[in-house]
Amino acid sequence: MIYPWQQKLWQKLISYQQYGHAYLFHGAQGLGKSELIREFAYRLLCHNPGNVACSVCKSCKLLQANTHPDIFYLKPLEEGKEIGIDEVRKLILFLSKTANFAGYKVVIAEQIELLNRNSANALLKSLEEPAGKSILLLTTNQISSLLPTITSRCLKVACDYPSSAEINSYINEKHPDLTAEQIKDLIFLAEGSPLLISNLLENNILEQRAIFSNGLKQLFKAQINVLELGTTLQKIELLTIVNWAYDLVVRIFRYKVSQDEQGLGLADTAQVVKYLAGKNNYTDILKIEQWLLDIRNKVLRRANLNPQLLLEALLLQLCSLR
Ligand SMILES: [Zn+2]
């Protein structure tokens, strides 16, 4: 699958007469890197490729059946866990053998930020010493967290966000029942990553957001207290709430500095942002921004936290702005 916003990149990728040994596709989650490198791998292995793989040759058939001997997938043994040294050793063994079809051997290694130190070092050797006609296709959502020794040995391919028109037409086509306002909110909530939007919809994100923003307004008007709102918000993932709270506070600060109406974020909290920007000084806003940033990092690192207490502490911080 090559998404409409990837067409230009795709044409560039296949236009080269010679291929590099290792490619690193980098960009945010939800932009379709996975689908793109599979198309690229299939085309590399296809016996009769056009713009894309032919889908009828022996190689394409084997790929469809998931039994092609010349492709290797490097992934963690368990979803979300790190990629261990044993997996990389299997990859090295795969690269040491000759290809079954006398063509390329292709490795697909996604989210290589999940490599631990040992497995990253082991992979490094494969990147340094290309064995035969092999091509490694790597992806990462966090290029900044990779070892420079890894990134410097790959051809870096930036996977960009779709334009506003591209993402709008994609969502429109996929979810024709959504209103323009809902699409705008969803793009904002997915931070511009089109493929995250379907996930967000499955998780009732619009309803959750309404619970969050209505709850905050009630809290600021002292219609409910921190404990009550804390209980209501328990049904929403903690990281989502921390992200929304952090975004809100950042916008309050920015609006105070710039008075820029374009930077108010989602319409449901725009008035709150304006009001709180007028009511608070820079120091107080920054203190809460910093606090939220620390909490966000702890949640991301899955530190040992009590979600209920943390949520209440977060609401108390926000309350102090009122
Ligand atoms: Zn083919």
Side-chain angles (χ1 to χ4, degrees), residues 7-178:
Q7 280 300 340
K8 236 194 212 161
L9 177 60
W10 176 256
Q11 294 309 328
K12 202 173 143 195
L13 272 178
I14 63 171
S15 69
Y16 297 117
Q17 296 300 315
Q18 269 200 326
Y19 294 109
H21 169 56
Y23 291 82
L24 177 60
F25 293 76
H26 61 96
Q29 198 193 343
L31 296 178
K33 294 188 295 299
S34 233
E35 292 83 350
L36 186 75
I37 64 166
R38 272 173 179 69
E39 283 298 331
F40 194 36
Y42 294 177
R43 191 179 180 279
L44 286 168
L45 293 169
C46 177
H47 299 161
N48 190 21
N51 186 45
V52 292
C54 77
S55 85
V56 291
C57 72
K58 175 132 200 241
S59 181
C60 285
K61 290 287 175 208
L62 286 169
L63 283 166
Q64 286 155 21
N66 232 344
T67 50
H68 201 297
D70 294 331
I71 190 164
F72 183 90
Y73 297 90
L74 180 70
K75 54 187 172 196
L77 274 181
E78 274 179 73
E79 178 77 29
K81 294 274 165 64
E82 59 181 28
I83 302 172
I85 184 89
D86 289 344
E87 307 325 299
V88 179
R89 285 198 181 117
K90 283 179 210 157
L91 171 134
I92 293 168
L93 185 65
F94 166 80
L95 287 176
S96 71
K97 294 176 185 160
T98 44
N100 286 267
F101 284 113
Y104 290 109
K105 274 182 303 175
V106 178
V107 170
I108 285 189
E110 295 188 72
Q111 283 187 272
I112 57 158
E113 64 271 16
L114 296 175
L115 290 162
N116 63 31
R117 182 176 285 270
N118 283 341
S119 49
N121 280 328
L123 179 69
L124 203 54
K125 292 211 176 66
S126 304
L127 293 174
E128 275 169 346
E129 301 152 16
K133 272 175 83 179
S134 57
I135 296 184
L136 285 80
L137 306 177
L138 319 176
T139 73
T140 181
N141 297 336
Q142 295 165 350
I143 192 166
S144 59
S145 71
L146 299 181
L147 294 169
T149 40
I150 297 244
T151 52
S152 66
R153 280 165 179 79
C154 301
L155 292 165
K156 288 181 270 304
V157 183
C159 298
D160 288 327
Y161 287 93
S163 69
S164 165
E166 283 167 334
I167 189 167
N168 267 291
S169 81
Y170 175 77
I171 305 300
N172 247 322
E173 205 169 294
K174 223 165 167 242
H175 304 283
D177 47 323
L178 293 172

Side-chain angles (χ1 to χ4, degrees), residues 208-221:
Q208 290 186 5
R209 175 68 195 191
I211 292 169
F212 172 81
S213 59
N214 291 334
L216 267 195
K217 283 178 214 164
Q218 288 178 308
L219 184 71
F220 288 138
K221 288 183 197 155

